[in-house]
């Protein structure tokens, strides 16, 4: 059985107030999942949190999300509903 294996890189563009997240599915078998993925965006100091949901339905996908300020941290699958391996880093 394959497990969802996602690598993500994110950047924040201050000029456009936009968060860009690039995902890649890295399953060794070559099978690609079609699955919704939740990401929790955490503000500086942990003062506020925002939950977003993206649909991952191909090997590579880029999402652009309007956001007032750069998140301090991002937590993939915060409710642990997916059997998955995540690697998420700022790029």
């Amino acid at each position: 059985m394959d497990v969802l294996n996602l690598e993500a890189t994110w950047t924040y563009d201050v000029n456009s107030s936009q968060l860009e997240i690039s995902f890649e599915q890295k399953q060794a078998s070559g099978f690609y999942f079609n699955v919704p993925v939740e990401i929790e965006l955490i503000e500086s100091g942990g003062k506020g949190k925002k939950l977003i949901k993206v649909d991952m339905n191909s090997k590579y996908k880029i999402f652009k999300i309007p956001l007032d300020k750069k998140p301090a941290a991002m937590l993939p699958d915060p409710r642990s509903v997916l059997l998955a391996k995540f690697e998420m880093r700022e790029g």
Side-chain angles (χ1 to χ4, degrees), residues 40-50 70-75:
E40 187 173 65
L41 308 176
I42 303 166
E43 290 182 9
S44 181
K47 294 177 184 173
K49 298 178 182 179
K50 179 178 182 176
K70 179 181 174 181
M74 294 176 40
L75 180 62

Side-chain angles (χ1 to χ4, degrees), residues 13-55:
D13 185 341
V14 176
N15 296 325
S16 65
S17 297
Q18 204 166 54
L19 176 68
E20 182 175 296
I21 309 171
S22 301
F23 283 99
E24 180 179 2
Q25 291 195 48
K26 304 287 279 188
Q27 292 81 239
S29 69
F31 176 82
Y32 301 110
F33 291 89
N34 182 353
V35 62
V37 177
E38 292 180 341
I39 302 167
E40 187 173 65
L41 308 176
I42 303 166
E43 290 182 9
S44 181
K47 294 177 184 173
K49 298 178 182 179
K50 179 178 182 176
L51 188 67
I52 61 169
K53 186 191 278 187
V54 296
D55 289 315

